[in-house]
């Protein structure tokens, strides 16, 4: 669950008929370089076991952490403490908290360039997209205040999780038996949750804590704060700051959200719609999940309270953090289809249509070859699924219970949404017994061929950069603006 904040909005500036390094290229290169850096760090650091994972799986893991996708091809407990710290760093700088600061710097740079070097050029083209991602704001002080507030929340959350793991014997014993430091687990999990990544240092993700309702409740709010409810919490924090400080800047921000040109600073009605939609989706998922799974095997050993908390935690993670307290391979197909829909939906989806900012108004008479070949994001995902079905066609024939279209679709949409949900792989589901097959706590894609994994890496990058879209997912529109100089 990645567009956290992974998953999100962008303010792109283009200058007609001038070649510019736009944000799409910059962020693409940024994530590629970050993934290579993470790969080298993992490669030249010592794992916990004496057997080192292969290089491609290390790169795959690095891409997953950098794009906050949390797709796994290596058991998490194979990583040493230093490698877990490195993965924490990748999730932190790959999330929108860090990239928003980079975006703020770039916007300032482009504005400076425009004001000092392009005084005679036509005004820049502003492209705004509604999907969770941070853009420049004319009030850097307020941006820093909100960032500081979020850092303070992270610190308090880290402290609470650490205290819980220290003083609750059952939770403490889990980490002790696995040789994972409490401080490392707390830092790793909180950063992963805020970044909407979904990585957890344990092989089983949060399944080992499904009876520890306290830690699930501590983590649960951060899933919402770091993603679907960020605009609502941002507006609430500004309202609180206005009441406490009495500063006019905060009053101006609240009354002039459109003029701020900041897509996360939404109107009150839009913020309320986001809240209603987020909780509405959660209620729908919760009711369906409980109706189908309440008496199933995955609920064995849980009391009423634990069932409610675990179910709520599971369905909330479908948008878009990806942490799991249940084995998805044992969940009914109807629930998996619902999860696929939830992972595909953008974080800012609302039941009611609300327009806070003026979006792209492309002239209908401006047609070109590029516009004709552009497909929707759903179309690209269908192509990716077909390609993976081709690369894994042998396994689809020989191992249909593990390799089926539903599981592949869930894995692809999960990578696209930067969520991390996976049905995993079980040797017991193979039609032909294989003594060489050994079960491991890795994602379903961890059993794919190299070609299949390469395709999923492209999906992770595509999903992380899906904010650069317009008109229903047309990702090539920025290229059209550069090449043909079209104005919006």
């Amino acid at each position: 669950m990645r567009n956290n904040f992974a998953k999100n909005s962008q303010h792109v500036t283009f200058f007609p008929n001038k070649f510019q390094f736009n944000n799409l290229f910059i962020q693409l290169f940024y994530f590629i370089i970050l993934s290579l850096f993470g790969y080298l760090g993992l490669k030249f650091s010592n794992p916990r076991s004496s057997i080192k994972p292969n290089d491609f799986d290390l790169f795959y893991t690095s891409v997953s952490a950098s794009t906050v996708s949390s797709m796994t091809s290596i058991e998490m407990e194979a990583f040493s403490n230093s490698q877990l710290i490195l993965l924490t760093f990748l999730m932190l700088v790959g999330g929108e908290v860090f990239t928003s600061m980079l975006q703020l710097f770039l916007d300032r740079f482009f504005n400076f360039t425009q004001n000092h070097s392009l005084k005679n050029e036509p005004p820049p083209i502003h492209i705004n997209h509604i999907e969770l991602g941070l853009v420049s704001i004319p009030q850097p002080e307020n941006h820093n205040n909100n960032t500081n507030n979020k850092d303070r929340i992270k610190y308090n959350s880290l402290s609470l999780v650490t205290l819980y793991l220290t003083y609750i014997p059952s939770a403490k014993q889990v980490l002790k038996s696995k040789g994972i430091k409490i401080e490392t687990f707390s830092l790793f999990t909180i950063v992963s949750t805020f970044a909407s990544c979904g990585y957890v240092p344990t092989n089983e993700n949060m399944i080992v804590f499904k009876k520890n309702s306290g830690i699930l409740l501590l983590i649960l709010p951060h899933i919402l704060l770091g993603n679907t409810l960020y605009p609502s919490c941002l507006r609430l924090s500004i309202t609180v700051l206005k009441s406490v400080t009495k500063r006019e800047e905060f009053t101006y921000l609240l009354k002039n959200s459109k003029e701020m040109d900041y897509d996360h600073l939404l109107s009150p009605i839009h913020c309320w719609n986001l809240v209603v939609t987020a909780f509405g989706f959660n209620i729908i998922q919760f009711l369906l999940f409980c109706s189908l799974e309440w008496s199933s095997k995955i609920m064995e050993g849980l009391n009423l309270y634990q069932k409610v908390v675990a179910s709520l935690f599971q369905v909330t993670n479908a948008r878009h953090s990806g942490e799991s307290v249940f084995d998805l391979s044992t969940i009914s197909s109807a629930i998996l289809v619902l999860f696929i829909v939830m992972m595909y939906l953008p974080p800012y989806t609302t039941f009611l249509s609300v327009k806070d900012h003026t979006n792209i108004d492309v002239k209908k008479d401006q047609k070109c070859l590029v516009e004709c070949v552009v497909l929707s994001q759903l179309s690209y995902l269908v192509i990716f699924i077909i390609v993976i079905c081709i690369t894994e066609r042998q396994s689809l024939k020989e191992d249909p219970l593990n390799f089926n279209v539903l599981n592949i679709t869930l894995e692809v949409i999960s990578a696209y949404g930067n969520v991390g949900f996976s049905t995993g792989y079980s040797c017991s589901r193979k039609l032909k017994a294989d003594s060489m097959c050994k079960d491991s706590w890795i994602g379903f894609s961890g059993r794919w061929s190299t070609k299949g994994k390469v395709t999923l890496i492209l999906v992770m990058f595509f999903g992380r950069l899906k904010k650069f879209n317009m008109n229903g997912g047309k990702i090539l529109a920025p290229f059209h603006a550069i090449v043909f100089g079209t104005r919006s």
Side-chain angles (χ1 to χ4, degrees):
M1 111 203 236
R2 106 268 92 292
N3 157 53
N4 96 234
F5 310 102
K7 322 193 176 103
N8 303 333
S9 156
Q10 199 65 30
H11 179 185
V12 186
T13 303
F14 297 106
F15 297 95
N17 301 319
K18 296 286 185 179
F19 178 78
Q20 298 289 336
F21 283 106
N22 61 71
N23 294 328
L24 172 61
F25 293 119
I26 291 174
Q27 291 206 21
L28 176 60
F29 289 135
Y30 173 79
F31 287 116
I32 291 175
I33 293 172
L34 184 61
S35 299
L36 291 174
F37 169 79
Y39 158 70
L40 293 175
L42 293 173
K43 178 178 174 60
F44 293 106
S45 57
N46 295 321
R48 181 179 298 184
S49 63
S50 57
I51 302 176
K52 284 193 172 185
N54 66 65
D55 288 352
F56 186 81
D57 282 335
L58 289 176
F59 178 69
Y60 185 86
T61 302
S62 178
V63 172
S64 296
S66 301
T67 59
V68 293
S69 301
S70 68
M71 311 303 292
T72 57
S73 61
I74 302 173
E75 290 187 336
M76 293 302 296
E77 291 175 24
F79 295 112
S80 63
N81 190 71
S82 60
Q83 289 178 321
L84 290 177
I85 297 299
L86 175 60
L87 290 175
T88 303
F89 171 78
L90 294 178
M91 291 186 293
L92 182 63
V93 300
E96 287 296 332
V97 172
F98 187 87
T99 55
S100 66
M101 297 180 184
L102 176 63
Q103 184 60 53
L104 182 62
F105 169 79
L106 292 175
D107 283 345
R108 284 182 172 181
F109 173 77
F110 285 131
N111 288 335
F112 177 84
T113 303
Q114 178 192 1
N115 293 334
H116 291 78
S117 303
L118 299 173
K119 292 182 179 179
N120 297 324
E121 293 292 331
I125 300 171
H126 298 288
I127 299 180
N128 297 294
H129 308 288
I130 300 300
E131 231 188 312
L132 202 96
L134 298 183
V135 297
S136 66
I137 184 169
Q139 299 288 340
E141 293 182 39
N142 301 323
H143 174 83
N144 292 333
N145 284 334
N146 292 319
T147 301
N148 292 334
N149 289 337
K150 187 164 288 292
D151 291 338
R152 192 178 301 110
I153 293 174
K154 282 186 179 181
Y155 177 78
N156 293 335
S157 304
L158 176 62
S159 301
L160 289 174
V161 171
T162 302
L163 286 173
Y164 183 91
L165 293 170
T166 301
Y167 292 104
I168 302 300
S170 58
K172 183 178 181 180
Q173 184 59 34
V174 169
L175 298 184
K176 185 177 180 181
S177 64
K178 294 176 176 294
I180 301 174
K181 295 181 179 179
I182 292 178
E183 296 80 7
T184 301
F185 178 89
S186 302
L187 176 64
F188 188 99
T189 305
I190 290 299
V191 171
S192 177
T193 305
F194 263 112
S196 295
C197 183
Y199 270 152
V200 177
T202 59
N203 285 342
E204 306 90 341
N205 205 273
M206 295 300 292
I207 294 177
V208 289
F209 295 107
K210 67 180 178 180
K211 292 185 178 181
N212 297 105
S213 301
I215 191 171
L216 299 183
L217 290 174
L218 287 174
I219 294 174
L220 187 60
H222 310 139
I223 300 169
L224 298 171
L225 292 176
N227 198 269
T228 53
L229 295 186
Y230 172 69
S232 304
C233 295
L234 174 63
R235 190 170 188 89
L236 177 61
S237 65
I238 294 176
T239 303
V240 172
L241 288 172
K242 183 198 76 171
S243 301
V244 173
T245 64
K246 308 298 182 182
R247 293 179 60 177
E248 295 182 359
E249 293 92 329
F250 297 120
T251 302
Y252 183 84
L253 282 172
L254 294 174
K255 292 182 177 180
N256 300 274
S257 57
K258 294 182 180 179
E259 287 73 10
M260 289 299 97
D261 200 18
Y262 182 58
D263 284 341
H264 296 313
L265 188 57
L266 306 180
S267 66
I269 185 63
H270 198 162
C271 289
W272 278 111
N273 280 339
L274 285 177
V275 172
V276 171
T277 301
F279 284 103
F281 280 145
N282 273 8
I283 291 172
I284 292 171
Q285 292 182 88
F286 179 78
L287 293 176
L288 183 59
F289 188 90
C290 289
S291 65
L292 295 178
E293 305 293 341
W294 190 259
S295 301
S296 66
K297 187 177 180 180
I298 63 174
M299 294 288 189
E300 288 182 358
L302 302 180
N303 58 37
L304 176 63
Y305 173 67
Q306 291 169 339
K307 286 182 179 180
V308 170
V309 174
S311 299
L312 184 60
F313 185 87
Q314 185 66 59
V315 299
T316 303
N317 272 277
R319 302 184 68 215
H320 292 267
S321 297
E323 296 167 5
S324 295
V325 288
F326 299 116
D327 182 359
L328 295 187
S329 65
T330 61
I331 292 177
S332 62
S333 298
I335 299 296
L336 294 182
V337 172
L338 179 61
F339 283 170
I340 289 173
V341 174
M342 292 297 108
M343 291 188 294
Y344 175 76
L345 293 176
Y348 281 14
T349 300
T350 59
F351 288 133
L352 300 176
S353 177
V354 179
K355 294 184 179 180
D356 281 296
H357 304 282
T358 303
N359 292 320
I360 304 303
D361 183 18
V362 181
K363 295 181 180 179
K364 294 183 178 180
D365 58 339
Q366 293 180 332
K367 298 290 183 180
C368 70
L369 179 61
V370 175
E371 291 178 305
C372 294
V373 300
V374 168
L375 303 176
S376 69
Q377 290 186 356
L378 185 59
S379 300
Y380 288 119
L381 292 175
V382 171
I383 293 173
F384 282 127
I385 292 171
I386 292 173
V387 170
I388 292 173
C389 286
I390 293 174
T391 63
E392 310 305 317
R393 59 188 180 278
Q394 192 65 29
S395 296
L396 283 166
K397 293 179 181 178
E398 299 176 355
D399 191 9
L401 296 183
N402 282 305
F403 282 83
N404 55 68
V405 176
L406 177 60
N407 289 351
I408 290 176
T409 301
L410 186 140
E411 201 84 3
V412 170
I413 302 300
S414 179
Y416 163 78
N418 307 122
V419 179
F421 272 176
S422 178
T423 55
Y425 184 94
S426 176
C427 295
S428 62
R429 292 198 293 266
K430 297 193 69 171
L431 296 181
K432 297 180 180 179
D434 185 359
S435 59
M436 300 299 293
C437 181
K438 294 183 179 181
D439 286 321
S440 57
W441 289 96
I442 61 175
F444 175 44
S445 59
R447 297 280 186 164
W448 294 3
S449 65
T450 301
K451 292 180 181 179
K453 290 179 182 177
V454 169
T455 305
L456 203 65
I457 286 176
L458 296 178
V459 175
M460 285 188 274
F461 281 123
F462 176 61
R464 188 62 181 85
L465 299 173
K466 62 180 176 289
K467 55 196 172 186
F468 298 97
N469 71 338
M470 59 190 299
N471 298 336
K474 296 184 177 180
I475 199 169
L476 295 181
F479 295 94
H480 179 266
I482 294 175
V483 176
F484 297 96
T486 56
R487 300 287 301 278
S488 298

